[in-house]
Amino acid sequence: MKLNTPRWWYVRDSNHARITRTALKPLGWVWAAATARRIAKAAPVDPGGPVISVGNLTVGGSGKTPVAREILRLLRDRGLDAHALSRGYGGRLEGPTQVDPAVHAAADVGDEPLMLAQGSPAWIARDRVAGAKAAVAEGAQALVLDDGHQNPALNKTVSLIVVDGETRGDEWPFGDGSVFPSGPMREPLKAGLARADAVVILAPTDAETVDGELFRTFGDLPIFVARLTPEGPPPSGAQVGFAGIAKPWKVERSLKAAGCDLVDFVPFPDHAAYSHRDMAFLRDRAAVFGAGLVTTEKDWVRLTPAQRVDVTAWPVVARFEDEAAFAAFLTERIQSAR
């Protein structure tokens, strides 16, 4: 059963959040201890090529997949045959399987691998070592590991942490630092940063700068700022939006900031598989307002061809503010590992 992401996870100062966190703290300690034990006991494998891990420290919602897709583009532009490697969350196939958007659906391989496969070779594998070796055997000169920071199976050339750079009032990417389920953290901040080589802050599109306090959180680690940029304007006319991602409220906010005439917005759980009843409800809401339906690219790939009729995808891409500096950092790390 998929659940909506609790928004209070990301609020630092709130009596309600504080009481709930206190009750759940013991479960967070168990989760953190289990993660630390699993990582400490691992013996990472060299798959035969450089591995760029794109991960995060929180449960969903940081923008890993757009950043991974941009890294794949940058590596391809520099002559490297880079392949994506994902666990394939939400898909039924165990892999190793090379994703084919013309053949596979999100129910087969997951939504994120389908997005990555639109621009680069992409693989899914529950066993990351087997997936990496399969990709290298097919000519991969570099592997971009999507959501790999807490997976210690592979020897990583570069470990990147992607952080949601949005800070509004008491909302903070890490909340008060509590570990799941008392907060959004997959592991304590200090432990996660100790294995990182650099941080990518995904800044809000409607903010000119990133909060300086967030920069100071990462100490001496190199920090690169990227922004989610719409590939085009939202559809014209009245629209009912919907999204099944970790932070659906951010989609609503971004659509409005982009000038969309958003008359209603419906949030769904992360990675939601849309049923006929869900789509009937959405179409009824659109009919009430005489509006169209708009959603994210990640949600759109989870829809069946029949469900996609009259639904507009609004794709966004990640772009680095200093692309040359980030590309130079990656290139230097890859070359020094050879």
Side-chain angles (χ1 to χ4, degrees):
M1 179 181 177
K2 295 184 175 70
L3 300 174
N4 287 309
T5 301
R7 197 162 181 175
W8 59 261
W9 270 356
Y10 301 96
V11 178
R12 291 190 288 183
D13 298 314
S14 158
N15 286 333
H16 166 70
R18 199 173 295 116
I19 293 168
T20 309
R21 284 179 186 133
T22 300
L24 294 173
K25 282 282 187 186
L27 292 176
W29 297 333
V30 173
W31 180 284
T35 300
R37 190 181 309 114
R38 176 171 51 82
I39 291 171
K41 290 172 64 177
V45 173
D46 182 352
V51 176
I52 297 94
S53 172
V54 182
N56 70 355
L57 302 179
T58 58
V59 182
S62 67
K64 296 182 303 295
T65 302
V67 170
R69 185 157 60 172
E70 177 66 357
I71 290 171
L72 287 161
R73 182 187 72 83
L74 292 174
L75 293 176
R76 287 198 318 274
D77 287 352
R78 282 151 183 81
L80 274 179
D81 185 7
H83 292 208
L85 176 59
S86 170
R87 176 178 176 271
Y89 180 82
R92 63 178 181 82
L93 299 179
E94 293 189 2
T97 302
Q98 184 165 4
V99 179
D100 185 346
V103 173
H104 296 123
D108 300 318
V109 297
D111 48 17
E112 290 159 348
L114 271 181
M115 292 173 60
L116 293 169
Q118 291 171 12
S120 302
W123 297 77
I124 60 104
R126 298 288 192 270
D127 181 336
R128 299 292 182 96
V129 173
K133 289 182 176 179
V136 170
E138 288 298 315
Q141 296 173 308
L143 296 169
V144 176
L145 184 61
D146 188 28
D147 196 12
H149 195 62
Q150 287 76 29
N151 188 309
L154 292 171
N155 185 36
K156 296 163 186 173
T157 310
V158 184
S159 286
L160 301 171
I161 294 294
V162 181
V163 175
D164 178 358
E166 186 167 27
T167 54
R168 294 172 186 260
D170 285 337
E171 285 189 30
W172 200 249
F174 308 122
D176 74 340
S178 295
V179 175
F180 177 88
S182 63
M185 302 298 290
R186 297 184 182 199
E187 58 182 317
L189 180 63
K190 185 177 180 180
L193 292 180
R195 302 192 313 280
D197 296 304
V199 173
V200 175
I201 295 179
L202 201 57
T205 2
D206 57 345
E208 290 184 9
T209 59
V210 177
D211 190 324
E213 184 183 346
L214 185 57
F215 273 96
R216 291 188 290 274
T217 302
F218 308 116
D220 295 331
L221 283 173
I223 299 172
F224 301 95
V225 176
R227 292 182 185 274
L228 285 180
T229 305
E231 289 198 296
S236 58
Q239 299 292 322
V240 170
F242 66 97
I245 63 172
K247 298 177 183 176
W249 61 86
K250 294 190 68 174
V251 178
E252 179 180 13
R253 190 181 290 158
S254 296
L255 280 166
K256 289 178 178 177
C260 182
D261 181 11
L262 200 64
V263 293
D264 196 12
F265 186 85
V266 184
F268 287 87
D270 195 12
H271 298 283
Y274 293 100
S275 66
H276 294 302
R277 180 178 295 182
D278 292 332
M279 296 309 298
F281 170 78
L282 289 169
R283 294 189 195 285
D284 286 346
R285 292 298 294 165
V288 166
F289 295 102
L293 288 169
V294 61
T295 192
T296 70
E297 182 183 10
K298 184 176 176 180
D299 288 278
W300 195 84
V301 300
R302 291 201 303 276
L303 301 178
T304 67
Q307 290 173 331
R308 291 172 184 169
V309 175
D310 298 328
V311 178
T312 301
W314 190 54
V316 294
V317 294
R319 292 287 185 261
F320 285 89
E321 287 189 347
D322 192 341
E323 181 179 300
F326 179 73
F329 168 81
L330 275 188
T331 302
E332 188 275 328
R333 291 300 179 106
I334 291 172
Q335 289 177 344
S336 64
R338 287 176 173 173

